[in-house]
Amino acid sequence: MFIDSVKIKIKAGDGGNGLVSFRREKYVPLGGPNGGDGGKGGSVIFEVDTNKSTLLDLKYSKNIVAQSGENGKNKKMSGADGKDVIVKVPQGTIIKDLKTDKVIADLVNVNQREVVAIGGKGGKGNWHFASSRDSAPEFAQAGDNGEAKEISIELKLLADVGLIGFPSVGKSTLLSVV
């Protein structure tokens, strides 16, 4: 089955939230903030694969969602970054945004990669906000949301054979018989 046009929804991963945490040690008075940063969300990346010739794989996956970043941890530990989703498409694929009808990517070169939806940035933990005026901040930054888009994926086709000739000499008849 040959599929040359697909409409899908993609969503990049959200960034993890920063953490509000304080050092709690026996002999360290007023230990101070030590909340970690949130991880970065995963992106949705489209890559050219020369072994593919149709968009059949994408017809049955209407939603593509990348992994979100983890929240920060105590002891200034950052959360894990979300994994990127790599979608393999055939050479000659055009990716358009459905809302604006603008071309996002034109994948024509072998092994070409394009980031279509960027993952959200992770939030900062409370130790970033410590200052001389506020040595123990009780707030942290939330992670950013990842991009969400509705896209249309189209495959450009090149003919392998062309039929030329004078008018009314049987080109259409030949095609209908074959």
Side-chain angles (χ1 to χ4, degrees):
M1 189 170 180
F2 184 74
I3 305 293
D4 65 344
S5 177
V6 176
K7 293 180 183 176
I8 60 173
K9 295 179 183 178
I10 59 172
K11 167 92 171 70
D14 298 333
N17 297 327
L19 182 72
V20 176
S21 174
F22 297 96
R23 288 178 57 188
R24 304 278 189 230
E25 296 175 20
K26 186 173 183 181
Y27 297 109
V28 181
L30 303 173
N34 72 344
D37 302 340
K40 177 182 149 318
S43 300
V44 179
I45 301 170
F46 281 77
E47 181 179 19
V48 172
D49 186 4
T50 56
N51 296 326
K52 292 196 177 285
S53 60
T54 181
L55 298 173
L56 184 63
D57 298 343
L58 296 175
K59 179 177 171 116
Y60 299 109
S61 59
K62 294 294 181 183
N63 293 323
I64 296 175
V65 180
Q67 185 180 15
S68 295
E70 290 184 4
N71 294 334
K73 299 174 176 58
N74 59 357
K75 298 182 184 176
K76 296 184 183 177
M77 290 190 291
S78 297
D81 292 342
K83 291 185 180 177
D84 294 338
V85 173
I86 298 175
V87 181
K88 303 215 181 243
V89 293
Q91 190 173 4
T93 302
I94 298 174
I95 302 170
K96 291 182 183 176
D97 191 350
L98 281 177
K99 288 184 181 176
T100 62
D101 203 36
K102 180 181 174 187
V103 174
I104 299 171
D106 190 4
L107 302 169
V108 293
N109 298 326
V110 178
N111 295 330
Q112 181 179 354
R113 292 180 121 190
E114 292 289 334
V115 178
V116 178
I118 300 171
K121 189 175 149 187
K124 294 182 179 181
N126 67 334
W127 72 273
H128 284 284
F129 303 107
S131 66
S132 60
R133 288 186 175 190
D134 187 7
S135 61
E138 294 184 5
F139 60 91
Q141 186 180 32
D144 294 337
N145 293 330
E147 289 183 331
K149 297 180 181 178
E150 288 187 45
I151 59 172
S152 117
I153 303 170
E154 297 174 5
L155 185 59
K156 292 190 273 186
L157 299 176
L158 295 175
D160 292 332
V161 176
L163 244 135
I164 57 172
F166 291 109
S168 302
V169 293
K171 297 184 296 289
S172 299
T173 307
L174 176 67
L175 283 177
S176 66
V177 172
V178 172

